[in-house]
Amino acid sequence: MATNLLRLTLPPPSSLHFRSGKFLDAKFSKRIFPRHRRSRIQRHGSKPSFLVSNSIEITTQSIESTIESVKPVASDDKPVLLDVSGMMCGGCVARVKSVLMSDDRVASAVVNMLTETAAVRLKPEVEEAMADAAESLAKRLTESGFEAKRRVSGMGVAENVKKWKEMVSKKEELLVKSRNRVAFAWTLVALCCGSHTSHILHSVGIHIAHGGFWDLLHNSYVKGGLAVGALLGPGRELLFDGIKAFGKRSPNMNSLVGLGSMAAFAISLISLVNPDLEWDASFFEEPVMLLGFVLLGRSLEERAKLKASSDMNELLSLISTQSRLVITSSDNNTAADSVLSSDSICINVPVDEIRVGDSLLVLPGETFPVDGNVLAGRSVVDESMLTGESLPVYKEEGCSVSAGTINWDGPLRIEASSTGSNSTISKIVKMVEEAQGNAAPVQRLADAIAGPFVYTIVSLSAVTFAFWYYIGSHIFPDVLLNDIAGPDGDPLALSLKLAVDVLVVSCPCALGLATPTAILIGTSLGAKRGYLIRGGDVLERLASIDCVALDKTGTLTEGRPIVSGVGSLIYEEQEVLKLAAAVEKTATHPIAKAIVNEAESLNLETPETRGQLTEPGFGTLAEIDGRLVAVGALEWVANRFHKENDSSDVVKLENYLDRKLSSTSLTSRYSKTVVYVGREGEGIIGAIAISDCLRKDAEFTVARLQEKGIKTILLSGDREGAVATVAKNVGIESESTNYSLSPDKKFEFISNLQSSGHRVAMVGDGINDAPSLAQADVGIALKIEAQENAASNAASVILVRNKLSHVVDALSLAQATMSKVYQNLAWAIAYNVISIPIAAGVLLPQYDFAMTPSLSGGLMALSSIFVVSNSLLLQLHKSETSANS
């Protein structure tokens, strides 16, 4: 009888894993949780103090609380999402962020111009009034010239897809309009520059382009009319938007271009209608050419930005918004393997209306609308979007299917195991969208510059005009001989054109696009290839990683262990296996599944259990026939009970299992782990050997990381022998191998590495890895069997296709993305630092070189195009492990 009770060192009751359907009865709960006990905290090094006594003490810090201490943001602390339109450049982004941050209710805000999204975190005291605050913030942004509305959280699949498609459609419509404006603008440019054409032809000896039409193009009033047509035609929206932005104290790129164009036109007009002023400053062709270059640049930029979203659009194309719901009579006697019975009814319904357990029909060529299990039918399915495997996968009754995969061959009837918004592909899209809303810390530099940029440029333009009109033209009289001063060397024309140059050549757009375009493409490309990166901040940290810590079971190994031997010095082997399987029956750890599967394959009948509970990283225990049975690590099981086993018995057990394993066909590529079975009053009664094959890409991954100069470390809770074998096989040095580590010891090890100056990535797959994943600079979780767990929740990178080699690819992509970010920022800053002084005429006195407003406009457009095009080159980034994954 179980006269003695347990004192456990475990997480607090809130985090203990009580098995569903096996609730503690009153008698057992009194044994485990007596009403009166003295609270004592016992720690014996790294070993949990788990001894037989008259009470159970729960004193170990919970894994969940450890995660919370590292990730203080509550799970329900979700940002308010606002859809914001009208942002044109980095100045607009800075203005939107400024408006949001000026509200006392806002704790932080991230604004993404490409996805037209603002993510706002509210202060805790106003979270209850989140809806009102969101509407209020949207209204403030709209009043500031940026139309905004709240995006309702928890939108269904159809609404999310509709939102993205509407945004893409809107961008495509804008692109068509932009092309039309460009065609109109360049027609006007061609007419306005017709007179220059005749001069050029004459200079090379071709005496054509004479007559009434060409003479008409030389007329200043005709040029003025063409300029009016350009300003009120293709340039109308640009000018009005710039003026409106000035009026709302949030000037943008359009404000600079509009101010430059209007200034050139106004001076030309005054000079034309008031010849007595003798300004001789008629240059109507400048605003026409300026608008032509700017609109052409905008059109090319919009096209590039639309292409930058192509990976996200490809993900969205995998989501089905409609499904065929199958309704079958409850008294139907049709064979279970029939795809569709004669009295079944098929109804087309939105995916959002599907519930778990519903029966759906998927025809050949269609995309699976939800995750599910095949009820009837046979077919092959294209799962390349999830697994990367190009060959189709055969599916029949009992097989699982994922939303977004494509049915190729025959009709299938499936049972929905998740709703549309919770399907694998929907979660991927949602995570990518959220990631693109998380700005990289380096973006702060661009934001700091872009905010006051427009006001600074306007001031520099005014200073440029004043200098050349009042001082420069007198100090350097030769500058008036330059063509920019006109045929008569007019100081006014010179000063005005240089001031307009400064306005037009400057480009906050390049600064605003430098980071988000690269982040957008990097995160989308990663998702397309099977590694989800949760934001620009994660990309930046991942790119600087110099140390990677790897778990063993399920990370370096396949995570599909099998029982390779059972040993006992007292009982039959099947008796030990039955007890272990009963305790582990509802556990989710791969080792537990291996034990249960082995018992089922031998058709063993497992006894009833009560009150199972688990200590992650150590083992599981339960009550069987009035006595407690523990399954887990040797010291953990041994410390559960008062009875001390003879150490020679344990050695005999291990030797017996070693002999048994050596007689099998298991190769050195297998990791061998031993779990022990103990029973109250007896101590250790048996041991079970578990073998798990190393991943095919484990050795390659470790070698490739080491080639990159990244330190690799193995952290495992397993015994020394098993860990050392794996480390040797994959190429990790013995001094970098750590064994018998509890979850809190792994956590502490990661912290120590960080304290010594390392930037650490942790790769794991289970709940026992969650604290370490949360503590590491970057947590990388392998997603086994497409299931979510504590590891994937704590991680900032998720390897959806469960391939270890994707760790290398994710690192490589992060480094390539951040390289593009730094290149873009360097270009944007260098461009403005160099081009603005040149536009202001710094080279004019010595080198007789000055820009025209039209040339400045062309350079400004090219600077933005360069940034977006440079980011697009990321799409050419190749996987380093394609041949091994």
Side-chain angles (χ1 to χ4, degrees), residues 487-499:
D488 297 325
D490 187 2
L492 178 62
L494 171 74
S495 305
L496 181 63
K497 286 187 178 182
L498 292 177

Side-chain angles (χ1 to χ4, degrees), residues 500-514:
V500 170
D501 283 345
V502 172
L503 286 174
V504 174
V505 80
S506 58
C507 189
C509 292
L511 277 170
L513 293 169

Side-chain angles (χ1 to χ4, degrees), residues 544-590:
S544 63
I545 291 300
D546 61 11
C547 179
V548 174
L550 300 122
D551 179 43
K552 181 179 74 72
T553 305
T555 301
L556 289 173
T557 65
E558 292 283 359
R560 292 190 291 270
I562 57 171
V563 172
S564 52
V566 181
S568 177
L569 301 177
I570 306 172
Y571 298 99
E572 292 289 331
E573 292 178 3
Q574 289 193 354
E575 177 66 20
V576 173
L577 186 60
K578 278 166 51 175
L579 291 173
V583 172
E584 300 280 23
K585 194 164 189 177
T586 55
T588 57
H589 193 278

Side-chain angles (χ1 to χ4, degrees), residues 365-429:
E366 293 183 341
T367 300
F368 287 94
V370 296
D371 297 339
N373 299 302
V374 177
L375 294 176
R378 295 180 181 85
S379 184
V380 290
V381 175
D382 179 5
E383 295 184 335
S384 58
M385 55 75 60
L386 281 181
T387 65
E389 176 58 57
S390 57
L391 295 176
V393 181
Y394 179 73
K395 299 290 182 180
E396 60 181 353
E397 182 181 356
C399 294
S400 62
V401 291
S402 298
T405 57
I406 302 171
N407 182 20
W408 272 13
D409 195 23
L412 292 175
R413 180 161 57 89
I414 67 170
E415 180 183 38
S417 61
S418 71
T419 58
S421 58
N422 290 323
S423 66
T424 303
I425 185 63
S426 294
K427 288 177 180 176
I428 289 174
V429 170

Side-chain angles (χ1 to χ4, degrees), residues 86 88-96 144 146 241-257 259 450-458 508:
M88 305 295 295
C89 63
C92 299
V93 173
R95 176 60 178 163
V96 169
S144 298
F146 305 97
D241 179 74
I243 294 170
K244 188 188 298 183
F246 258 127
K248 295 189 175 182
R249 295 183 299 175
S250 56
N252 55 23
M253 191 66 242
N254 288 347
S255 303
L256 294 177
V257 175
L259 185 60
F453 189 88
V454 174
Y455 291 113
T456 303
I457 295 302
V458 171

Side-chain angles (χ1 to χ4, degrees), residues 419-654:
T419 58
S421 58
N422 290 323
S423 66
T424 303
I425 185 63
S426 294
K427 288 177 180 176
I428 289 174
V429 170
K430 182 179 179 183
M431 287 177 62
V432 173
E433 185 179 2
E434 290 175 351
Q436 292 168 353
N438 294 335
V442 71
Q443 176 68 22
R444 295 172 193 153
L445 172 62
D447 291 343
I449 298 172
F453 189 88
V454 174
Y455 291 113
T456 303
I457 295 302
V458 171
S459 301
L460 287 175
S461 176
V463 169
T464 299
F465 179 86
F467 173 80
W468 286 110
Y469 188 71
Y470 295 106
I471 303 173
S473 58
H474 301 292
I475 298 176
F476 309 108
D478 290 345
V479 299
L480 297 176
L481 300 176
N482 190 284
D483 290 341
I484 196 173
D488 297 325
D490 187 2
L492 178 62
L494 171 74
S495 305
L496 181 63
K497 286 187 178 182
L498 292 177
V500 170
D501 283 345
V502 172
L503 286 174
V504 174
V505 80
S506 58
C507 189
C509 292
L511 277 170
L513 293 169
T515 300
T517 50
I519 298 298
L520 173 71
I521 295 170
T523 51
S524 298
L525 190 60
K528 183 180 175 181
R529 293 179 177 178
Y531 25 100
L532 300 181
I533 301 171
R534 299 181 190 253
D537 52 339
V538 177
L539 268 170
E540 188 168 348
R541 295 198 305 271
L542 185 58
S544 63
I545 291 300
D546 61 11
C547 179
V548 174
L550 300 122
D551 179 43
K552 181 179 74 72
T553 305
T555 301
L556 289 173
T557 65
E558 292 283 359
R560 292 190 291 270
I562 57 171
V563 172
S564 52
V566 181
S568 177
L569 301 177
I570 306 172
Y571 298 99
E572 292 289 331
E573 292 178 3
Q574 289 193 354
E575 177 66 20
V576 173
L577 186 60
K578 278 166 51 175
L579 291 173
V583 172
E584 300 280 23
K585 194 164 189 177
T586 55
T588 57
H589 193 278
I591 290 178
K593 290 182 179 180
I595 293 172
V596 173
N597 290 340
E598 179 69 10
E600 289 178 350
S601 68
L602 296 174
N603 296 318
L604 299 181
E605 187 174 336
T606 56
E608 289 291 325
T609 61
R610 290 191 300 168
Q612 283 111 321
L613 51 85
T614 296
E615 186 175 1
F618 292 108
T620 306
L621 78 162
E623 183 183 14
I624 300 177
D625 297 329
R627 287 196 287 178
L628 291 166
V629 177
V631 181
L634 175 60
E635 292 185 4
W636 185 83
V637 174
N639 289 336
R640 293 311 68 120
F641 312 108
H642 279 312
K643 180 176 174 58
E644 294 291 335
N645 291 87
D646 190 334
S647 59
S648 62
D649 290 342
V650 175
V651 172
K652 288 179 184 177
L653 262 179
E654 292 178 346

Side-chain angles (χ1 to χ4, degrees), residues 521 820 868-877:
I521 295 170
K820 290 299 179 188
V868 178
S869 301
N870 189 44
S871 296
L872 284 172
L873 292 176
L874 265 178
Q875 294 181 328
L876 302 177
H877 179 76

